Amino acid sequence: MKKLVINNNVRKYRFLKDEMTQQDLAKELGVSRQTIVAIEKGKYSPSLELAFKLARVFEMKIDDLFFVEE
Amino acid sequence: MNYGEGRSIAELISSVITVVVYGTLVVLGIVFEWFVIGDILQFWAIVILIFIPFSVVVRIVVSIVYSVGNTVAHEIKGEFPEGDEIVDERDRLIMLKATRNSMFLFVVGFFVGLIFLAFQLSPHFFFGSIVLFGILTDFAQTALTIIYYRKGV
């Protein structure tokens, strides 16, 4: 089965949320800033729990934030 | 270089210090005959039993030095990267993958040791191969951790 490439709009919605910094987002989620950097660059797919936390911070559905790249 | 990579490099340095210092002490002990034990199993048991707490102490000292050095370096630069030292799910995943993959080397070392025993070579070869591959496993774990931090996991 072909591996799915999961991408996200975290960077875009972070800027739309009063230009929130990576540091602030990391603090709110209880992770390191490097983890936010890795998620934004697509180098790390977060756990379901962290993905839901991210969606909650940006007040949107999880599939608006994360999507499968064809 | 982020905090996780720096911590891995500090661990690598502590591994090198441990191996070089402890290895030198054991060799000197054998050469100058103040560490001579006739029984091979007893010799290796003592060598390994002392090695474990020695490496733990060196690792603790190096990690303290790294944390202090890292804080001082940031203060000099005037940066205060709050929360960088947090160990989160990504760090734990990287540690797990690096440990799992590097453990293959240790298994190889164990099999090589068993082959030595099967060919009736001295048990020194068996223990030597286990220690050597154990050290290589440690190095590989650090290298893999850095690779996973840089390339993603």
Side-chain angles (χ1 to χ4, degrees):
Chain A
M1 196 179 179
K2 203 179 166 188
K3 199 184 174 197
L4 293 177
V5 179
I6 299 169
N7 222 322
N8 64 77
N9 290 316
V10 173
R11 189 176 170 81
K12 176 183 153 190
Y13 286 113
R14 190 164 55 75
F15 278 102
L16 289 176
K17 197 173 169 69
D18 301 326
E19 295 191 5
M20 190 184 209
T21 64
Q22 290 173 332
Q23 189 85 59
D24 291 339
L25 182 58
K27 201 174 175 184
E28 199 156 332
L29 296 168
V31 296
S32 66
R33 193 180 60 83
Q34 282 80 31
T35 298
I36 301 298
V37 174
I39 291 170
E40 286 186 0
K41 283 184 178 173
K43 285 184 174 179
Y44 173 61
S45 295
S47 67
L48 203 51
E49 185 186 351
L50 185 56
F52 271 106
K53 280 183 183 172
L54 272 163
R56 192 174 284 180
V57 169
F58 297 119
E59 294 163 359
M60 60 179 54
K61 284 182 182 173
I62 202 164
D63 50 356
D64 290 331
L65 203 54
F66 293 92
F67 56 90
V68 176
E69 212 160 59
E70 299 297 337
Chain B
M1 183 171 59
N2 66 38
Y3 187 83
E5 286 172 23
R7 197 180 51 218
S8 302
I9 291 170
E11 281 174 14
L12 181 67
I13 292 167
S14 68
S15 301
V16 172
I17 291 171
T18 309
V19 170
V20 171
V21 173
Y22 191 72
T24 309
L25 284 174
V26 171
V27 170
L28 285 177
I30 293 166
V31 170
F32 293 106
E33 295 183 352
W34 42 262
F35 184 61
V36 179
I37 296 156
D39 185 56
I40 295 173
L41 291 180
Q42 192 189 6
F43 169 82
W44 280 102
I46 292 170
V47 166
I48 293 169
L49 278 175
I50 298 172
F51 179 77
I52 294 167
F54 183 81
S55 67
V56 169
V57 170
V58 172
R59 193 156 281 208
I60 290 170
V61 170
V62 170
S63 66
I64 290 170
V65 170
Y66 171 70
S67 296
V68 172
N70 192 48
T71 309
V72 170
H74 282 303
E75 279 190 18
I76 291 168
K77 284 183 194 168
E79 296 170 356
F80 299 98
E82 205 181 314
D84 269 9
E85 60 289 330
I86 289 175
V87 176
D88 58 22
E89 58 174 46
R90 178 169 156 266
D91 297 297
R92 280 192 287 271
L93 185 63
I94 286 173
M95 275 188 259
L96 275 173
K97 278 189 85 171
T99 307
R100 185 196 64 186
N101 293 340
S102 61
M103 270 300 161
F104 282 112
L105 257 181
F106 189 74
V107 174
V108 169
F110 185 71
F111 277 107
V112 170
L114 287 179
I115 290 167
F116 284 142
L117 286 181
F119 281 97
Q120 292 187 319
L121 289 168
S122 162
H124 280 305
F125 287 95
F126 172 73
F127 287 107
S129 94
I130 285 185
V131 169
L132 177 69
F133 278 87
I135 292 162
L136 290 177
T137 302
D138 202 20
F139 290 162
Q141 189 181 346
T142 309
L144 283 174
T145 305
I146 295 167
I147 290 169
Y148 290 139
Y149 269 119
R150 297 218 166 158
K151 289 197 168 178
V153 60

